[in-house]
Amino acid sequence: MPKILILGIGCRKNTSVTAIKDGVTRVLKEHNISSLAIAGCASIDLKKEEKGLCEFARDTGVPFYTYPAEILAGIQGDFTSSSFVKQITGVDNVCERAALCCVKELGGGKLIIKKEAAAGVTVAAAVLDWKVMI
């Protein structure tokens, strides 16, 4: 199974790794995508030491990429905006922008799953271009 999926994850402070895993599992199952395809996860740099996200990346065995709000805000696309998230983080959407920012940094790709939210966790996914995988 090629590792081609970058998850963008947002969460409330102190969200448990169990809640994050449950949110990711639900989204992947809904879209019929194997967790074996996960190449990495991404979020805003405010979450770089968020225990649940760090544990998720470690348990999944993938890198955890983080980006400053200014970088995420500069990513172009049609994103699911939240005024609450913008007030807290300085950017209107974390998970979609982080997933797309990460695949662009790694060589290219596109957003394939828009923000899905449950129990304080938001998940989006971007797929790496096949040319990046070769």
Side-chain angles (χ1 to χ4, degrees), residues 58-105:
R58 185 196 68 224
D59 293 354
T60 308
V62 299
F64 177 37
Y65 303 91
T66 60
Y67 303 94
E70 304 80 45
I71 298 295
L72 294 179
I75 297 297
Q76 299 298 307
D78 179 27
F79 302 111
T80 310
S81 297
S82 165
S83 56
F84 174 76
V85 170
K86 186 167 186 172
Q87 180 183 348
I88 300 297
T89 67
V91 66
D92 64 350
N93 177 293
V94 168
C95 64
E96 292 170 355
R97 288 178 181 275
L100 195 53
C101 184
C102 189
V103 295
K104 287 180 182 287
E105 178 184 336

Side-chain angles (χ1 to χ4, degrees), residues 15-17 20 49-57:
T15 298
S16 72
V17 67
I20 293 167
E49 294 180 14
E50 185 69 36
K51 186 177 179 196
L53 286 172
C54 292
E55 287 180 16
F56 173 80

Side-chain angles (χ1 to χ4, degrees), residues 40-54:
C41 57
S43 194
I44 192 165
D45 64 355
L46 296 172
K47 299 292 182 181
K48 68 182 171 203
E49 294 180 14
E50 185 69 36
K51 186 177 179 196
L53 286 172
C54 292

